[in-house]
Amino acid sequence: MFSCIFISSLFLIVKFASTFMQANISKCFYKITEDFHHEGDVVIGAFFPLHTYHTKKKIVHSFIPYYYEDNYLQYNFRNYQYILALVFAIEEINENSIILPNISLGFDFYNVRFTEKDTLMHACFWLTAQGRKKILPNYNCDKRKLTAALTGTSWTTSAQIGTLLQLFKFPQLSFGPYDPILSDRGQFSSLYQMASKSTSLALGIVSLMVHFRWSWVGLILPDDHKGNKILSEFREDMERKGVCIAFVKMIPDTWTSNFNKFWENMDETNVIIIYGDIDSLTGLMRNIGQRLFTGKVWVMNTEPHNTVNADYFMLDSFHGSLIFTHNYRKSFELTEFIQTVNPYKYPEDIYLPKLWHLFFLCSFSNIDCQLLANCQSNASLDVLPSHILDMEISEESNNIYNAVYAVAHSLHQMSLQQVQIQPHENRETMTFVPWQLNIFLKDINERDNMSLGGRQKINEEYDILNLWNLPKGLGKKVKIGSFSASAPEGQQLFLSDQMIQWAEGFSEIPQSVCSESCVPGFRKITLEGKAKCCYKCTPCADNEISNETDVNQCVKCPQSHYANTEKNHCFQKTVSFLAYEDPLGMILASIALCLSTLTVFVIGVFVKHRDTPIVKANNRGLSYTLLITIMFCLLCSLNFIGQPNGATCILQQTTFAVAFTVALATVLAKAITVVIAFKATFPGRKVRWLMTSRAPNYIIPFCTLIQLLLCGIWMATSPPFIDQDVHAEHGHILLLCNKGSSVAFHCVLGYLCSLALGGYTMAFLSRNLPDTFNESKFLSFSMLVFFCVWVTFLPVYHSTKGKIMVAMEVFSILASSAALLGFIFAPKCYIILLRPDKNSCLHIRDKTHSRRNKSLKI
C-alpha cells in the first residue's frame, strides 16, 4: 500500500514541480489586492495570515515607517483553508432557514502581515466607515452591520487587535492556540478563545517519552510567556517520570547572523521536543527544512508548515515526526466543499485565481486582470500536494467553523429577544450595536458538553499523528495513538508502535539516552554534576542482584539464597558439610582408619612379644595404654566427618580432649618412669618405693580428671551446638559445630599443650641416661611434633572457613596421633620385627659388658 502511495505521490510532485517551474508568473499576480469582501447583512471581520513578511536582520527602512528593507514576501497557501472554512460555515448558515432567517452573514477579509502597524491599520479600516467605503465604493454602509472579529493564529495578532476592539467592547473570537494572556477578562473582556487549554500537553509528551524509554531529550520553545510556562510544566513532569532535559533552546524573535549558535549541541540527543504555535515556529521550521536534519525524531504540538516553495528533494527533515493535536470531530462536509471550489464560483475570492494561475496554467487578462477560461480541465484543489494545500481539516479551521456558528447562534438569540420585547415591530434588518452581542457570547472554555453548531466540544484528549513525508511532499499524517488525561493511570497513552514510520537513519525504535541502560546485574551510579539520566553502571555487590534494567539499588539475596554469577537471580543454597562422600572427607576418613588399623597391628605385635626385653623394658602396661589411647584419638576424628547433630558436636570436643589427655598423660608417666627407674639403681628406699608401688601410673587418672573437670564446666556453661555458615562457601549453607565457648575450647587445648610441654621436658632431661632401650629421645621428639602441630593449628584454624576449617582440625588430630604412634613405637617395631637379635638377653649382656669395660679404661 505504501509503495502505491509513494509512486503516485512522486508522480504528482514531479508534475507540480514542472508546472511551477515552467509557469510564467503574471504581473496581475502581484497587482490583485490582498483583501476582499463577501456580502451579507451582518458582517464578520476576518484577520488571517495568508502570506507573511519576514525579516532576518530587521534593517529599518529609510523613509517608510514600521517597515524593513530586508522584508521577504512568503505565501502560505496552507492557511487558505481558513478562508474556505469561513466561507463554508457562512454558506451553511445562510442556507439554514432556522438560524437567522431573512438575515445573511458576510465577511470582510484582511491579510495579517505580522507587523503591529499593518494589523492595527486593517482593524481601523474595518471599524470606520471610511475604511469600508475604501473597500466598497458606493455601498450603503448603514445597511451593513459589523458584528464580531475573527483573529489568529498568533496570540500577538489577537492581542494587538483586541487592544483596539476592547475600547468599544467589540466582540472578538480568537481561533488560534489558547493563550492565558487573552483569557485576562480585565484586559480583554470581549475576547473569546475557541481553542481549549492545553493543560495536559506536557504530560502527554512526557508519557510518550516514557513509553519509548527516551530519557534524554532536547527542548525548543518560544522565548515568551508561553514558552516559560510550558518549560516549567515539562520540568515538573519529566522530574516525576525520570526524563532528563539535554538542552533548552529558546526561539529568537529574529534569526540574526549568529543563529548558527542555536544549532549547537543538537547531536546530543536523537529526540527533540518543539513547542509553539504556527507563527512562532515559522522561522524555526524553515531553518530545519533547509538544514535537512536526518536521524532526529521531532515531537511537536504543531504540524510543520513549510512556507517556502518546496524544493522537491526526496528527503525531508520532518519525516517520521510525532505530532500532538487536540482531538476534534473532522468535518467531511468541509473537505467535500473544498473539492468543489473554483475561481468562477467565487469571483470575489482573490486567492483562487492566484492558485489557478500558479498550479493549473491559467492566464490573466492584461486589461482587468480577470482570470481567463483557458485552464486545465477538471482542476480542483484536492490534487494539490499537502505542502501547498492540505485537504485534512486543521484544528484552526475547525475553530473558525465553530466561531462562525457561535456568532450566528448569538445573533439568533438576540433577534429572538428583540421579537419578544417588541413583537409588533417590523424590521427588515437587526438593530443592535456590537457590544450587545457579548451578552449572548460565552467563552468556549466554560462550555461543558457541546459547543454551538452541534459539534463536539474540544476536550483534553490528544491525537498522536505520525508524519509520513517520504518522498518530500507526501505529507501524509497517520493517527498512531492518542492520549487522554482523564483516563486511569497507566491507560492514558495508547499507541500502535507498528504503524510508526521513523525518521531516516532509524530502522527500529530510536534510542535517546545519555547513558546506556544498566543491564540486570548492574546498578546506576549518578555522576557528580550531571543530570540523573547520566550515570555509569557498576556491578551489584556480593550476594546482591538486580533483575531489571536501570535500577538504582541492588536487592540483597536472603541468607538462604545466593546470587548467580550474572547477579540477576537468587538461587536456593544447598546444605553442605564435610561428608564421607566428599573427596576430602573420604581421604581423611581413610587415613584415620588406616592409622587405626596400624595401631591395632602394633598392639598385636606388642602383645605377641610381650615377654621380650624391649617390651618389658619401657613399662609394658603404659605402652598398651598409650597404644589403645592413640587408636581412640584416631577414631575420634571420625566424629568431625559427616552431618553434624547435637550429640556429635558434644562428642567431638569431649572425646578429643579426653583421649589426647590420656595419651599425653601416659607419655608423661613413661618419661617419669624412666627417670625413677634410673634413680632406683642408687641406694634410697624412697625412690625404690616409688618404683615398686607404680606411683607414675596415677598421673594418668589425675591429669584426666582435670580435663574432665574443664570439659564439664564447658558443657555446663556454653556447650557446642549446630551452626550454619552461609558465607563460607558460595552457594552453600555449611553445617558445622560451633564450639560454644571459645575460651573453654582454648583452655582445653592449652591444657593439652601444657601436658605435651611437661612430657617433652621430662623426656628431654632423661634422654642421655644409660639404658639399653631408653625411649626418652623418641618421647621428647613426639611431644615436640605434637606441640608444633597444635600451635600451628590455631592461626590456620582461625584463618579458614567452611569445610577447610573442619578438615584442618581433623588433620591436626591425625597428624599428632600419627606422631605419637610413629616416633614412639616405630623404632620398637623395627627391632621386634626386623632386628630380633637385638631384642635378646644375650645382646643386652654383651652391650652391658662393653659399656663397663669402657668405663674401667677411663
Side-chain angles (χ1 to χ4, degrees):
M1 177 181 176
F2 181 73
S3 60
C4 295
I5 296 175
F6 180 91
I7 295 171
S8 59
S9 301
L10 187 60
F11 174 77
L12 286 173
I13 290 169
V14 173
K15 176 182 177 182
F16 279 104
S18 60
T19 300
F20 188 75
M21 287 185 292
Q22 293 173 3
N24 184 15
I25 300 177
S26 171
K27 293 181 180 180
C28 292
F29 186 87
Y30 301 103
K31 288 182 179 180
I32 298 176
T33 179
E34 300 294 339
D35 308 324
F36 64 94
H37 166 75
H38 185 88
E39 293 186 6
D41 299 326
V42 180
V43 177
I44 298 175
F47 299 86
F48 300 164
L50 251 66
H51 66 74
T52 62
Y53 283 117
H54 73 91
T55 175
K56 290 185 177 181
K57 300 181 180 179
K58 280 192 173 183
I59 303 175
V60 180
H61 199 277
S62 58
F63 58 88
I64 302 178
Y66 305 105
Y67 196 78
Y68 301 101
E69 291 184 352
D70 59 340
N71 275 346
Y72 297 90
L73 176 65
Q74 290 183 344
Y75 276 95
N76 188 359
F77 289 117
R78 289 171 65 97
N79 289 355
Y80 180 65
Q81 189 185 97
Y82 303 161
I83 295 179
L84 297 177
L86 176 64
V87 173
F88 174 70
I90 287 178
E91 283 193 358
E92 196 175 61
I93 293 170
N94 288 341
E95 293 174 359
N96 192 330
S97 60
I98 299 175
I99 303 176
L100 295 177
N102 302 321
I103 298 175
S104 63
L105 284 180
F107 67 85
D108 290 333
F109 169 75
Y110 297 92
N111 183 71
V112 180
R113 300 173 182 173
F114 294 152
T115 60
E116 182 176 0
K117 175 256 182 184
D118 183 70
T119 301
L120 292 176
M121 178 183 68
H122 283 308
C124 290
F125 279 164
W126 182 61
L127 287 174
T128 62
Q130 180 182 1
R132 293 197 300 276
K133 289 177 183 178
K134 182 177 180 180
I135 300 171
L136 305 167
N138 303 320
Y139 191 84
N140 188 353
C141 295
D142 294 336
K143 294 183 179 180
R144 300 177 69 249
K145 298 295 183 183
L146 306 183
T147 177
L150 286 179
T151 60
T153 55
S154 170
W155 73 270
T156 56
T157 301
S158 297
Q160 290 168 4
I161 297 176
T163 303
L164 176 63
L165 300 182
Q166 176 65 20
L167 299 176
F168 311 100
K169 303 298 181 182
F170 201 97
Q172 178 185 359
L173 293 91
S174 173
F175 64 89
Y178 181 88
D179 192 280
I181 289 182
L182 300 181
S183 63
D184 183 359
R185 310 312 295 171
Q187 188 175 0
F188 303 104
S189 61
S190 58
L191 190 150
Y192 306 92
Q193 299 192 73
M194 302 304 298
S196 65
K197 295 181 180 179
S198 298
T199 55
S200 58
L201 176 63
L203 177 61
I205 294 177
V206 173
S207 299
L208 182 75
M209 305 293 112
V210 175
H211 174 81
F212 289 118
R213 305 180 70 86
W214 294 334
S215 59
W216 189 242
V217 299
L219 282 178
I220 300 180
L221 311 172
D223 192 8
D224 57 17
H225 63 285
K226 294 178 68 175
N228 294 326
K229 183 177 183 299
I230 198 70
L231 177 59
S232 64
E233 294 178 6
F234 274 124
R235 290 190 189 277
E236 180 181 350
D237 291 331
M238 287 182 175
E239 178 71 21
R240 186 160 44 87
K241 297 285 189 177
V243 181
C244 298
I245 300 176
F247 57 80
V248 177
K249 295 184 181 295
M250 308 305 287
I251 303 172
D253 293 333
T254 58
W255 296 89
T256 63
S257 58
N258 297 324
F259 76 99
N260 284 328
K261 293 183 179 179
F262 182 86
W263 304 107
E264 294 177 354
N265 307 326
M266 284 290 184
D267 294 333
E268 288 187 7
T269 177
N270 292 329
V271 178
I272 300 176
I273 300 171
I274 299 178
Y275 173 84
D277 53 34
I278 297 172
D279 306 312
S280 62
L281 298 179
T282 300
L284 176 71
M285 299 297 186
R286 182 173 58 251
N287 274 273
I288 292 176
Q290 292 172 348
R291 287 176 172 270
L292 192 59
F293 280 99
T294 58
K296 297 291 180 189
V297 178
W298 308 97
V299 181
M300 302 175 285
N301 71 315
T302 302
E303 180 186 346
H305 282 210
N306 191 356
T307 59
V308 184
N309 291 333
D311 52 16
Y312 303 103
F313 192 65
M314 291 292 292
L315 300 179
D316 178 54
S317 299
F318 294 104
H319 173 66
S321 299
L322 301 176
I323 306 168
F324 277 71
T325 63
H326 280 110
N327 177 267
Y328 58 92
R329 179 183 179 273
K330 306 298 189 296
S331 175
F332 297 103
E333 297 86 354
L334 177 55
T335 303
E336 294 175 357
F337 169 76
I338 295 176
Q339 295 173 351
T340 64
V341 169
N342 62 71
Y344 308 106
K345 184 178 179 180
Y346 298 97
E348 73 277 8
D349 191 331
I350 55 90
Y351 285 99
L352 285 173
K354 293 185 178 183
L355 286 168
W356 254 248
H357 174 68
L358 282 176
F359 302 110
F360 301 119
L361 303 179
C362 296
S363 302
F364 286 107
S365 170
N366 293 328
I367 301 174
D368 55 1
C369 284
Q370 293 296 315
L371 197 65
L372 301 176
N374 60 344
C375 305
Q376 295 178 359
S377 60
N378 299 326
S380 176
L381 293 177
D382 62 340
V383 301
L384 295 177
S386 60
H387 71 273
I388 297 175
L389 181 64
D390 197 348
M391 294 301 294
E392 186 172 341
I393 306 306
S394 66
E395 183 178 345
E396 290 78 14
S397 297
N398 189 74
N399 290 340
I400 292 172
Y401 181 91
N402 290 334
V404 174
Y405 263 92
V407 173
H409 277 276
S410 300
L411 289 170
H412 186 71
Q413 292 297 323
M414 181 185 292
S415 64
L416 292 178
Q417 187 183 75
Q418 290 180 354
V419 171
Q420 292 174 359
I421 294 174
Q422 297 175 330
H424 304 292
E425 188 79 18
N426 289 325
R427 289 190 176 89
E428 295 182 0
T429 59
M430 293 180 63
T431 302
F432 70 95
V433 288
W435 63 263
Q436 291 176 323
L437 198 63
N438 290 316
I439 302 173
F440 302 93
L441 280 172
K442 294 182 179 180
D443 195 342
I444 298 300
N445 296 324
E446 295 176 357
R447 300 182 190 275
D448 297 327
N449 298 319
M450 304 292 289
S451 64
L452 296 177
R455 273 145 175 80
Q456 187 175 357
K457 177 188 179 295
I458 299 174
N459 52 34
E460 272 298 277
E461 183 173 344
Y462 294 90
D463 290 336
I464 304 176
L465 309 179
N466 183 217
L467 181 60
W468 296 1
N469 205 28
L470 183 67
K472 189 173 183 180
L474 173 62
K476 186 175 180 60
K477 298 182 290 294
V478 180
K479 182 179 178 179
I480 50 96
S482 60
F483 176 82
S484 178
S486 59
E489 186 73 23
Q491 302 178 16
Q492 296 175 321
L493 183 69
F494 170 77
L495 280 177
S496 298
D497 296 359
Q498 67 276 6
M499 294 180 60
I500 301 177
Q501 287 196 17
W502 298 108
E504 284 301 304
F506 297 120
S507 58
E508 55 185 12
I509 297 176
Q511 299 295 315
S512 187
V513 294
C514 180
S515 302
E516 291 295 330
S517 296
C518 293
V519 298
F522 290 78
R523 67 180 181 90
K524 298 191 298 186
I525 296 181
T526 305
L527 301 176
E528 186 177 357
K530 299 287 186 179
K532 66 178 182 180
C533 300
C534 300
Y535 49 80
K536 66 177 183 178
C537 301
T538 184
C540 292
D542 292 340
N543 210 39
E544 291 185 353
I545 66 161
S546 63
N547 53 11
E548 296 179 358
T549 57
D550 293 336
V551 298
N552 294 316
Q553 292 295 333
C554 298
V555 179
K556 194 172 185 64
C557 291
Q559 288 194 347
S560 59
H561 292 69
Y562 70 96
N564 60 348
T565 307
E566 293 78 15
K567 296 184 177 181
N568 56 5
H569 288 289
C570 289
F571 293 107
Q572 180 75 38
K573 291 182 178 179
T574 57
V575 177
S576 176
F577 49 85
L578 185 61
Y580 290 104
E581 293 80 9
D582 292 343
L584 184 60
M586 189 178 297
I587 292 172
L588 293 175
S590 300
I591 294 173
L593 293 175
C594 290
L595 290 177
S596 299
T597 303
L598 182 62
T599 305
V600 172
F601 173 76
V602 173
I603 293 174
V605 170
F606 267 58
V607 171
K608 182 178 180 181
H609 300 86
R610 62 184 176 276
D611 294 327
T612 58
I614 195 169
V615 175
K616 296 171 62 177
N618 292 285
N619 198 328
R620 183 170 51 193
L622 290 177
S623 297
Y624 293 154
T625 303
L626 182 57
L627 283 171
I628 294 172
T629 306
I630 290 174
M631 185 179 64
F632 278 107
C633 289
L634 292 169
L635 293 176
C636 80
S637 65
L638 299 178
N639 287 328
F640 293 85
I641 305 174
Q643 184 172 356
N645 52 54
T648 56
C649 287
I650 294 176
L651 286 175
Q652 282 179 6
Q653 305 306 323
T654 54
T655 56
F656 157 74
V658 173
F660 272 94
T661 299
V662 174
L664 294 176
T666 303
V667 172
L668 179 61
K670 288 175 71 68
I672 293 174
T673 300
V674 172
V675 175
I676 293 176
F678 179 79
K679 296 293 184 180
T681 57
F682 295 93
R685 295 180 179 177
K686 187 175 182 180
V687 176
R688 189 179 295 275
W689 175 82
L690 290 174
M691 190 66 183
T692 57
S693 63
R694 299 182 180 275
N697 293 347
Y698 293 103
I699 295 175
I700 298 173
F702 178 76
C703 293
T704 304
L705 185 62
I706 296 175
Q707 187 68 285
L708 288 173
L709 181 62
L710 290 175
C711 289
I713 296 173
W714 183 5
M715 299 303 138
T717 56
S718 181
F721 58 90
I722 299 177
D723 197 6
Q724 294 182 352
D725 191 348
V726 296
H727 306 291
E729 296 183 20
H730 180 71
H732 294 83
I733 299 176
L734 183 64
L735 291 180
L736 72 164
C737 291
N738 192 300
K739 297 296 188 293
S741 174
S742 179
V743 175
F745 172 72
H746 287 88
C747 287
V748 168
L749 198 60
Y751 180 69
L752 292 177
C753 290
S754 65
L755 289 178
L757 187 59
Y760 170 77
T761 303
M762 294 303 297
F764 182 79
L765 293 176
S766 60
R767 70 187 186 283
N768 293 323
L769 293 178
D771 191 7
T772 302
F773 299 110
N774 186 1
E775 62 178 357
S776 297
K777 292 181 180 180
F778 304 119
L779 293 176
S780 62
F781 197 69
S782 65
M783 290 298 98
L784 183 62
V785 172
F786 180 92
F787 187 80
C788 291
V789 167
W790 288 103
V791 169
T792 307
F793 161 78
L794 288 175
V796 176
Y797 177 82
H798 289 292
S799 62
T800 57
K801 292 181 179 181
K803 296 180 182 180
I804 304 301
M805 182 181 68
V806 180
M808 280 301 304
E809 191 167 0
V810 175
F811 175 78
S812 299
I813 292 173
L814 296 177
S816 54
S817 300
L820 292 176
L821 179 64
F823 291 117
I824 295 177
F825 294 101
K828 295 180 180 181
C829 290
Y830 172 76
I831 293 175
I832 293 173
L833 299 176
L834 300 179
R835 298 296 301 273
D837 56 308
K838 292 185 177 182
N839 190 21
S840 62
C841 294
L842 180 61
H843 176 73
I844 296 172
R845 190 180 301 111
D846 292 341
K847 193 172 182 179
T848 303
H849 282 301
S850 64
R851 188 183 296 115
R852 287 179 180 177
N853 291 332
K854 287 181 181 180
S855 60
L856 290 174
K857 290 179 180 181
I858 293 173

